[in-house]
Short mmCIF file of all heavy atoms in Angstrom, two decimals:
data_model
loop_
_atom_site.label_atom_id
_atom_site.label_comp_id
_atom_site.label_asym_id
_atom_site.label_seq_id
_atom_site.Cartn_x
_atom_site.Cartn_y
_atom_site.Cartn_z
N LEU A 32 160.69 160.59 -107.65
CA LEU A 32 159.48 161.39 -107.53
C LEU A 32 158.58 161.29 -108.77
O LEU A 32 157.39 161.19 -108.65
CB LEU A 32 159.86 162.87 -107.28
CG LEU A 32 160.40 163.22 -105.91
CD1 LEU A 32 161.03 164.62 -105.93
CD2 LEU A 32 159.33 163.14 -104.86
N LYS A 33 159.23 161.26 -109.90
CA LYS A 33 158.51 161.25 -111.20
C LYS A 33 157.94 159.85 -111.50
O LYS A 33 156.85 159.76 -112.14
CB LYS A 33 159.41 161.75 -112.32
CG LYS A 33 158.68 161.90 -113.66
CD LYS A 33 159.62 162.45 -114.72
CE LYS A 33 158.97 162.57 -116.10
NZ LYS A 33 157.83 163.49 -116.06
N TYR A 34 158.61 158.86 -111.12
CA TYR A 34 158.19 157.48 -111.49
C TYR A 34 158.00 156.60 -110.24
O TYR A 34 158.85 155.81 -109.85
CB TYR A 34 159.27 156.82 -112.39
CG TYR A 34 159.56 157.67 -113.63
CD1 TYR A 34 160.74 158.35 -113.75
CD2 TYR A 34 158.66 157.64 -114.69
CE1 TYR A 34 161.03 159.10 -114.90
CE2 TYR A 34 158.92 158.38 -115.81
CZ TYR A 34 160.09 159.10 -115.91
OH TYR A 34 160.36 159.84 -117.05
N PRO A 35 156.88 156.74 -109.60
CA PRO A 35 156.61 156.01 -108.37
C PRO A 35 156.51 154.46 -108.53
O PRO A 35 156.62 153.77 -107.49
CB PRO A 35 155.29 156.59 -107.85
CG PRO A 35 154.64 157.11 -109.07
CD PRO A 35 155.76 157.61 -109.96
N ASN A 36 156.30 154.02 -109.72
CA ASN A 36 156.19 152.57 -109.95
C ASN A 36 157.51 151.96 -110.36
O ASN A 36 157.55 150.81 -110.82
CB ASN A 36 155.16 152.34 -111.02
CG ASN A 36 153.77 152.67 -110.56
OD1 ASN A 36 153.42 152.50 -109.42
ND2 ASN A 36 152.95 153.19 -111.50
N ILE A 37 158.63 152.67 -110.14
CA ILE A 37 159.95 152.10 -110.34
C ILE A 37 160.72 152.26 -109.05
O ILE A 37 160.60 153.32 -108.37
CB ILE A 37 160.68 152.81 -111.48
CG1 ILE A 37 159.98 152.62 -112.80
CG2 ILE A 37 162.13 152.36 -111.57
CD1 ILE A 37 160.57 153.38 -113.95
N ASN A 38 161.50 151.27 -108.64
CA ASN A 38 162.29 151.35 -107.43
C ASN A 38 163.67 151.82 -107.81
O ASN A 38 164.33 151.27 -108.68
CB ASN A 38 162.39 149.93 -106.74
CG ASN A 38 161.07 149.44 -106.33
OD1 ASN A 38 160.23 150.20 -105.82
ND2 ASN A 38 160.83 148.14 -106.47
N PHE A 39 164.17 152.85 -107.11
CA PHE A 39 165.45 153.43 -107.41
C PHE A 39 166.43 153.26 -106.27
O PHE A 39 166.05 153.32 -105.08
CB PHE A 39 165.31 154.92 -107.70
CG PHE A 39 164.58 155.27 -108.94
CD1 PHE A 39 163.20 155.45 -108.98
CD2 PHE A 39 165.27 155.38 -110.17
CE1 PHE A 39 162.53 155.73 -110.16
CE2 PHE A 39 164.61 155.62 -111.36
CZ PHE A 39 163.23 155.82 -111.33
N ILE A 40 167.67 152.93 -106.62
CA ILE A 40 168.73 152.75 -105.60
C ILE A 40 169.91 153.62 -106.04
O ILE A 40 170.50 153.43 -107.14
CB ILE A 40 169.16 151.29 -105.45
CG1 ILE A 40 167.99 150.44 -105.01
CG2 ILE A 40 170.31 151.18 -104.43
CD1 ILE A 40 168.27 148.95 -104.96
N GLY A 41 170.29 154.52 -105.18
CA GLY A 41 171.50 155.39 -105.44
C GLY A 41 172.68 154.87 -104.67
O GLY A 41 172.57 154.54 -103.48
N ILE A 42 173.81 154.79 -105.38
CA ILE A 42 175.02 154.22 -104.81
C ILE A 42 176.16 155.27 -104.82
O ILE A 42 176.45 155.83 -105.88
CB ILE A 42 175.42 152.98 -105.49
CG1 ILE A 42 174.37 151.88 -105.45
CG2 ILE A 42 176.77 152.38 -104.93
CD1 ILE A 42 174.56 150.71 -106.35
N GLU A 43 176.78 155.49 -103.68
CA GLU A 43 177.88 156.47 -103.59
C GLU A 43 178.79 156.05 -102.47
O GLU A 43 178.35 155.48 -101.43
CB GLU A 43 177.31 157.86 -103.30
CG GLU A 43 178.31 158.98 -103.11
CD GLU A 43 179.20 159.12 -104.35
OE1 GLU A 43 178.65 159.38 -105.46
OE2 GLU A 43 180.42 159.02 -104.19
N LYS A 44 180.10 156.24 -102.64
CA LYS A 44 181.06 155.72 -101.66
C LYS A 44 181.60 156.76 -100.70
O LYS A 44 182.25 156.44 -99.69
CB LYS A 44 182.22 155.05 -102.36
CG LYS A 44 183.14 155.97 -103.17
CD LYS A 44 184.30 155.17 -103.76
CE LYS A 44 185.21 156.09 -104.58
NZ LYS A 44 186.37 155.33 -105.10
N PHE A 45 181.33 158.05 -100.89
CA PHE A 45 181.85 159.09 -100.05
C PHE A 45 180.77 159.54 -99.06
O PHE A 45 179.70 159.96 -99.44
CB PHE A 45 182.37 160.27 -100.86
CG PHE A 45 183.51 159.90 -101.78
CD1 PHE A 45 183.31 159.85 -103.16
CD2 PHE A 45 184.76 159.64 -101.24
CE1 PHE A 45 184.36 159.55 -103.99
CE2 PHE A 45 185.82 159.31 -102.07
CZ PHE A 45 185.62 159.27 -103.45
N ASP A 46 181.07 159.51 -97.79
CA ASP A 46 180.16 159.86 -96.71
C ASP A 46 179.59 161.26 -96.87
O ASP A 46 178.36 161.43 -96.68
CB ASP A 46 180.80 159.76 -95.34
CG ASP A 46 181.07 158.31 -94.92
OD1 ASP A 46 180.62 157.40 -95.64
OD2 ASP A 46 181.71 158.10 -93.89
N SER A 47 180.41 162.24 -97.14
CA SER A 47 179.96 163.61 -97.24
C SER A 47 179.00 163.80 -98.37
O SER A 47 177.97 164.53 -98.24
CB SER A 47 181.12 164.60 -97.38
OG SER A 47 181.84 164.71 -96.18
N ILE A 48 179.21 163.14 -99.49
CA ILE A 48 178.28 163.26 -100.63
C ILE A 48 177.00 162.54 -100.34
O ILE A 48 175.87 163.03 -100.67
CB ILE A 48 178.97 162.69 -101.92
CG1 ILE A 48 180.19 163.49 -102.23
CG2 ILE A 48 177.98 162.74 -103.06
CD1 ILE A 48 180.92 163.02 -103.46
N VAL A 49 177.07 161.38 -99.70
CA VAL A 49 175.86 160.67 -99.29
C VAL A 49 175.01 161.56 -98.35
O VAL A 49 173.77 161.64 -98.53
CB VAL A 49 176.22 159.32 -98.58
CG1 VAL A 49 174.99 158.71 -97.95
CG2 VAL A 49 176.81 158.37 -99.55
N ALA A 50 175.65 162.21 -97.42
CA ALA A 50 174.92 163.08 -96.48
C ALA A 50 174.21 164.17 -97.17
O ALA A 50 173.09 164.53 -96.83
CB ALA A 50 175.90 163.60 -95.42
N LYS A 51 174.88 164.79 -98.19
CA LYS A 51 174.27 165.88 -98.94
C LYS A 51 173.05 165.40 -99.66
O LYS A 51 172.05 166.10 -99.79
CB LYS A 51 175.29 166.46 -99.91
CG LYS A 51 176.43 167.28 -99.27
CD LYS A 51 177.39 167.85 -100.29
CE LYS A 51 178.46 168.65 -99.62
NZ LYS A 51 179.40 169.22 -100.59
N CYS A 52 173.11 164.17 -100.21
CA CYS A 52 171.95 163.61 -100.89
C CYS A 52 170.82 163.35 -99.93
O CYS A 52 169.69 163.72 -100.20
CB CYS A 52 172.37 162.31 -101.58
SG CYS A 52 170.98 161.36 -102.27
N LEU A 53 171.13 162.77 -98.78
CA LEU A 53 170.06 162.42 -97.83
C LEU A 53 169.31 163.64 -97.35
O LEU A 53 168.13 163.59 -97.08
CB LEU A 53 170.71 161.64 -96.65
CG LEU A 53 171.31 160.27 -96.92
CD1 LEU A 53 172.05 159.75 -95.70
CD2 LEU A 53 170.22 159.32 -97.35
N LYS A 54 169.99 164.74 -97.24
CA LYS A 54 169.36 165.95 -96.76
C LYS A 54 168.33 166.49 -97.79
O LYS A 54 167.42 167.25 -97.42
CB LYS A 54 170.40 167.05 -96.48
CG LYS A 54 171.30 166.78 -95.30
CD LYS A 54 172.44 167.75 -95.25
CE LYS A 54 172.01 169.19 -95.05
NZ LYS A 54 173.16 170.15 -94.90
N LYS A 55 168.44 166.07 -99.02
CA LYS A 55 167.53 166.57 -100.05
C LYS A 55 166.25 165.75 -100.21
O LYS A 55 165.31 166.17 -100.83
CB LYS A 55 168.26 166.57 -101.43
CG LYS A 55 169.42 167.52 -101.50
CD LYS A 55 170.05 167.41 -102.93
CE LYS A 55 171.25 168.31 -103.11
NZ LYS A 55 171.81 168.24 -104.47
N ILE A 56 166.28 164.53 -99.71
CA ILE A 56 165.14 163.61 -99.97
C ILE A 56 163.91 163.99 -99.14
O ILE A 56 164.00 164.13 -97.93
CB ILE A 56 165.55 162.19 -99.64
CG1 ILE A 56 166.84 161.74 -100.42
CG2 ILE A 56 164.39 161.20 -99.98
CD1 ILE A 56 167.31 160.35 -100.07
N PRO A 57 162.79 164.22 -99.82
CA PRO A 57 161.53 164.54 -99.06
C PRO A 57 161.01 163.36 -98.33
O PRO A 57 161.32 162.18 -98.66
CB PRO A 57 160.60 165.04 -100.18
CG PRO A 57 161.04 164.28 -101.39
CD PRO A 57 162.59 164.16 -101.28
N ASP A 58 160.19 163.57 -97.34
CA ASP A 58 159.57 162.48 -96.60
C ASP A 58 158.57 161.71 -97.46
O ASP A 58 157.97 162.26 -98.38
CB ASP A 58 158.83 163.04 -95.35
CG ASP A 58 159.80 163.64 -94.33
OD1 ASP A 58 160.95 163.25 -94.30
OD2 ASP A 58 159.29 164.50 -93.57
N GLY A 59 158.46 160.41 -97.17
CA GLY A 59 157.39 159.61 -97.81
C GLY A 59 157.77 159.11 -99.16
O GLY A 59 156.86 158.66 -99.90
N LEU A 60 159.02 159.03 -99.55
CA LEU A 60 159.43 158.54 -100.87
C LEU A 60 159.76 157.04 -100.71
O LEU A 60 160.93 156.69 -100.42
CB LEU A 60 160.62 159.36 -101.40
CG LEU A 60 160.89 159.35 -102.89
CD1 LEU A 60 159.66 159.73 -103.67
CD2 LEU A 60 162.05 160.29 -103.24
#
């Protein structure tokens, strides 16, 4: 959100933690 000119990739191996992250992401990022 703070740095729109940088591409970010988050990596996580646990499904439940990934799901918690995905629920937080706003639209249009």
Side-chain angles (χ1 to χ4, degrees):
L32 287 167
K33 185 176 178 62
Y34 303 105
N36 293 324
I37 296 174
N38 297 321
F39 292 92
I40 300 175
I42 300 169
E43 178 59 57
K44 67 178 180 179
F45 297 109
D46 288 353
S47 288
I48 298 179
V49 170
K51 289 180 180 180
C52 171
L53 293 172
K54 290 171 63 176
K55 295 181 180 181
I56 305 175
D58 293 335
L60 201 54

